[in-house]
Amino acid sequence: MALITLWRNLCHLYDFRIHRALAALKNHPVIHVHKVAEERLCPWFCSPQAQPLGVRFHHGCCKNFHSENRNDLHPADEAVFSQAHDWDRPEQSLTSVDEQTFYRRLNSFTSSEEVLSFISCKLQTLPDTLAAGALQRICEVERKDGDEKLPKEILKNRVFQALCIQCEQEPSGLPDTVLVTTLQALTLLHVDPHSSLVLSLVAECQRRLKAGGLEVHSLCILGESLIKLQGPGCTTLELVICQLKREKLEEFTPEGIVALYRILQACTEKVGQHQAFLNKLNNFALSVVYSLSPTSMSQILSALVVLDQTQALPLVIKLGKYVVRHIPRFTNEELRKVLEAFIYFGHNDRFFTKALEQHVASVCLTLDPEVVSKVTEYCSRKRILSKPILDAVAETFVCQSEKFSPHQISELIEPFGKLNYLPPNASAFFRKLENTLLTHFNYFPPKTLLKILHTCSLIECHPVNFMAKIFSPYFLQKLQGEESHLDRLSLAQLTQLFLSAVLECPFYKGQKLLPKYRVRSFLTPCSSLETPVDFQLYKFVKIGLVDLLGARLYFAPKVLTPYCYTIDFSAAGPSQCGRNQNRRRRRAGV
């Protein structure tokens, strides 16, 4: 819930007070006030080492600034503040000014220095609500700039310190929305949860929570802030969830529904206790899907995965229909979450695939490697032979192979082998792959490397240059690791690579795979390298062969060849026909 929603929730409060923070600034020497404020702020914002102040004000109206780094901090443009009110006159009282105008001005600033310059001349008459709003705007601006913490120049600023002291000493005078959003703003900048300011705000939130006076919007913001500050196991969060569960879902906004999913997502250990409520939430969420933003859709899908809501398939399907419209608007991280959810729930939609093809083909070179590998994993899991996607992925790997991790390369390569597809730039694609493996061979995990080489062999790009290495006892020992034996899938992949060397590469004279590492059949439960036969198709073919040949004894199903592959149906020879006839006689008791 964006901090900016605070502005429209504030009432017209004109009971302005002069706080102890300002009295401290006026009645004590500057050095003493700075020391007191620094002791309060440094433990939760920065290191407590004393450093020279970067900014200080000289007069009550704060129109003149001094900067020790010679970068002047001028007050905001006079033209901006001359509209409607003369904000720079010290005798101008805020009691006659509309608060909405104040927040509109505050929200128009793009830097913390502009905010501090704007409010500095009104510190003596600045009420609690406006002080909290200014503090939140500072945190919001710094977070937009990508900073995880507030800069020291801001922390050392006298006006900012006065704002913090004012909010800490008088939290009871803040409206509910202002209180929780101030706490949220500080939380998003990773403030120390044990700081005096945060503890004061949390204590006030707990008092109001126990009194039962917080609305749904405030409860959601408080719940997410508590998760970041104290973790999902805190008792106050349990009280928040209990109160949220008692509220009617019809009273939640779409943003509130999404926030509720985020809160429950953090409490995965107690998902069993909340499952009944989750069922109601999943059913109700169907009615608000149409109004969700792309960000909200990705967050709900991610929560459904974390909470293992496999029974919420109707919600996943409906979200999938609306996701198609917003694919170009997703960020890389949001698109990754959407694909991850569709893979997890097995969702596949041809309209989504079409939209994904258009998007990936146009922006593939700008996508994160994690998103590219997730796209190919989606195609591989759902067996979607999308030439536009696979061609774009191959081109991206040729141009940016150094950006991909070993695991991402494995996910990227797999669909080409599984779907038996060679991209137009196959020669450049596999040359780049070979160079990457040769250069970073020791950095690839053994199972990941085996999976990549096995995929190459499936599309007849036999990795002859690597076979001697992977058939060596040293590599096989690394592949086995701490286990007592190699898993069935790894043995089957090794066997297929060995067979490709024997059958397709007769010129290969290197290390052979030892017999104890070979399997007799690739058709095994749970780890089969052969594509399972569709049962209905198998049944129709079997009935047709019986009608054509006249009897079941003239063909045999699932025949194992000397090369470990299984043939679905094979014509039975004379000896096989005789065995089949004897079998039928024994069953008939003849």
Side-chain angles (χ1 to χ4, degrees):
M1 300 175 184
L3 296 178
I4 194 153
T5 57
L6 167 66
W7 312 148
R8 60 174 74 101
N9 288 293
L10 291 168
C11 303
H12 295 283
L13 300 178
Y14 298 105
D15 183 20
F16 300 149
R17 299 185 298 277
I18 300 177
H19 297 286
R20 285 175 287 175
L22 276 300
L25 288 175
K26 294 175 60 178
N27 298 331
H28 294 279
V30 172
I31 297 177
H32 172 73
V33 174
H34 169 65
K35 182 177 180 181
V36 172
E38 188 178 53
E39 289 176 352
R40 291 175 178 270
L41 295 172
C42 284
W44 43 277
F45 273 126
C46 62
S47 61
Q49 297 178 357
Q51 296 182 5
L53 292 179
V55 179
R56 60 178 179 270
F57 59 85
H58 290 237
H59 190 268
C61 66
C62 291
K63 221 176 161 181
N64 299 317
F65 283 84
H66 168 71
S67 174
E68 295 187 0
N69 61 3
R70 299 186 182 275
N71 293 326
D72 295 334
L73 295 175
H74 301 287
D77 195 332
E78 298 291 341
V80 174
F81 299 119
S82 62
Q83 301 173 4
H85 298 286
D86 185 7
W87 295 88
D88 292 324
R89 293 174 53 190
E91 65 274 11
Q92 176 70 32
S93 174
L94 285 179
T95 57
S96 61
V97 179
D98 184 6
E99 291 184 10
Q100 298 300 324
T101 303
F102 175 86
Y103 282 112
R104 282 196 297 270
R105 297 286 179 82
L106 197 64
N107 195 40
S108 67
F109 299 129
T110 58
S111 69
S112 299
E113 288 80 5
E114 290 180 347
V115 176
L116 293 172
S117 172
F118 172 63
I119 65 172
S120 59
C121 57
K122 295 301 176 187
L123 276 175
Q124 294 184 355
T125 56
L126 197 66
D128 295 341
T129 53
L130 302 189
L135 182 61
Q136 292 172 61
R137 182 57 184 166
I138 292 171
C139 295
E140 184 182 26
V141 169
E142 293 299 328
R143 185 167 176 82
K144 282 183 178 179
D145 292 338
D147 297 331
E148 293 295 328
K149 295 183 179 180
L150 286 172
K152 291 184 179 181
E153 291 78 9
I154 302 299
L155 299 175
K156 299 286 185 174
N157 187 281
R158 303 281 186 167
V159 181
F160 178 78
Q161 294 172 356
L163 288 174
C164 292
I165 295 174
Q166 182 173 343
C167 292
E168 176 185 341
Q169 292 178 343
E170 300 290 344
S172 59
L174 299 175
D176 293 343
T177 305
V178 180
L179 176 67
V180 295
T181 48
T182 301
L183 180 63
Q184 182 190 47
L186 297 173
T187 302
L188 293 175
L189 286 167
H190 305 283
V191 176
D192 181 5
H194 302 292
S195 66
S196 55
L197 174 58
V198 173
L199 290 176
S200 176
L201 295 177
V202 170
E204 180 62 25
C205 288
Q206 290 175 336
R207 186 187 68 79
R208 300 187 190 187
L209 181 64
K210 292 177 181 178
L214 294 180
E215 297 180 352
V216 169
H217 179 73
S218 299
L219 285 171
C220 292
I221 296 177
L222 177 59
E224 292 192 89
S225 300
L226 289 173
I227 291 171
K228 292 182 180 295
L229 288 172
Q230 302 177 4
C234 67
T235 55
T236 308
L237 179 61
E238 281 295 317
L239 185 58
V240 170
I241 294 176
C242 287
Q243 291 195 18
L244 285 171
K245 290 167 70 173
R246 287 198 294 266
E247 299 288 343
K248 294 182 179 179
L249 291 177
E250 291 77 9
E251 298 179 0
F252 284 72
T253 63
E255 292 78 12
I257 293 294
V258 179
L260 192 51
Y261 271 110
R262 290 196 298 264
I263 293 172
L264 294 173
Q265 178 181 351
C267 307
T268 52
E269 295 181 357
K270 299 180 180 179
V271 65
Q273 301 177 14
H274 307 310
Q275 189 57 58
F277 179 69
L278 274 168
N279 292 337
K280 292 172 55 180
L281 182 62
N282 293 336
N283 292 330
F284 179 78
L286 289 167
S287 63
V288 300
V289 168
Y290 73 94
S291 62
L292 296 177
S293 66
T295 300
S296 298
M297 290 182 185
S298 68
Q299 289 176 352
I300 289 182
L301 285 169
S302 179
L304 293 175
V305 171
V306 174
L307 296 170
D308 190 29
Q309 297 297 292
T310 53
Q311 71 278 13
L313 285 179
L315 178 58
V316 174
I317 294 172
K318 189 165 185 178
L319 284 168
K321 292 180 180 179
Y322 283 88
V323 160
V324 174
R325 308 175 185 180
H326 301 293
I327 284 183
R329 298 172 56 193
F330 284 115
T331 64
N332 284 329
E333 180 62 19
E334 290 167 358
L335 181 58
R336 184 193 64 79
K337 290 180 179 179
V338 170
L339 290 167
E340 191 175 63
F342 286 175
I343 292 171
Y344 184 84
F345 291 107
H347 178 67
N348 181 22
D349 182 85
R350 61 188 179 91
F351 298 106
F352 174 77
T353 302
K354 186 67 176 179
L356 188 64
E357 286 178 347
Q358 297 174 354
H359 179 65
V360 171
S362 61
V363 300
C364 195
L365 291 175
T366 63
L367 292 177
D368 288 343
E370 183 64 26
V371 179
V372 175
S373 63
K374 193 62 66 174
V375 169
T376 54
E377 183 184 356
Y378 173 75
C379 293
S380 178
R381 293 284 189 91
K382 304 307 299 179
R383 290 182 170 82
I384 300 172
L385 179 54
S386 172
K387 294 182 180 180
I389 290 178
L390 296 181
D391 291 348
V393 167
E395 185 64 31
T396 302
F397 181 73
V398 171
C399 298
Q400 304 174 354
S401 61
E402 67 282 353
K403 294 184 179 181
F404 292 85
S405 67
H407 174 73
Q408 290 168 352
I409 293 176
S410 173
E411 296 293 345
L412 183 147
I413 297 295
E414 185 178 11
F416 291 93
K418 182 176 288 188
L419 302 172
N420 193 28
Y421 178 70
L422 283 174
N425 62 340
S427 58
F429 180 63
F430 287 101
R431 191 184 309 115
K432 178 66 71 172
L433 176 61
E434 183 178 9
N435 292 336
T436 301
L437 294 179
L438 288 172
T439 305
H440 306 288
F441 185 86
N442 293 327
Y443 293 97
F444 279 78
K447 289 190 177 182
T448 301
L449 181 62
L450 178 60
K451 182 179 178 181
I452 293 174
L453 298 178
H454 175 259
T455 299
C456 292
S457 70
L458 294 178
I459 45 180
E460 300 182 8
C461 296
H462 305 293
V464 179
N465 294 335
F466 299 95
M467 287 185 177
K469 294 182 179 180
I470 64 173
F471 293 155
S472 66
Y474 173 73
F475 180 83
L476 294 173
Q477 185 62 39
K478 286 180 60 179
L479 186 63
Q480 182 173 332
E482 301 295 331
E483 302 296 330
S484 58
H485 58 277
L486 277 174
D487 61 277
R488 182 77 181 181
L489 180 60
S490 296
L491 291 174
Q493 290 173 336
L494 285 168
T495 304
Q496 274 198 343
L497 280 169
F498 173 69
L499 289 176
S500 68
V502 173
L503 300 175
E504 306 291 342
C505 309
F507 54 87
Y508 173 71
K509 304 299 180 183
Q511 178 77 41
K512 306 292 185 182
L513 182 65
L514 297 177
K516 67 177 182 178
Y517 293 109
R518 304 175 196 172
V519 297
R520 297 186 59 187
S521 174
F522 294 133
L523 187 63
T524 55
C526 303
S527 59
S528 177
L529 293 183
E530 296 185 9
T531 303
V533 180
D534 182 84
F535 177 75
Q536 293 297 331
L537 177 61
Y538 177 83
K539 183 178 179 181
F540 290 149
V541 173
K542 182 178 177 180
I543 293 174
L545 286 174
V546 171
D547 293 340
L548 178 64
L549 300 177
R552 167 69 177 76
L553 59 90
Y554 296 114
F555 65 91
K558 297 182 180 179
V559 178
L560 180 65
T561 67
Y563 299 107
C564 310
Y565 292 99
T566 304
I567 299 176
D568 297 329
F569 295 100
S570 175
S575 59
Q576 182 66 38
C577 290
R579 284 195 295 270
N580 290 341
Q581 288 178 345
N582 292 335
R583 225 179 267 122
R584 292 179 64 187
R585 290 192 184 111
R586 284 197 298 271
R587 291 197 191 104
V590 178

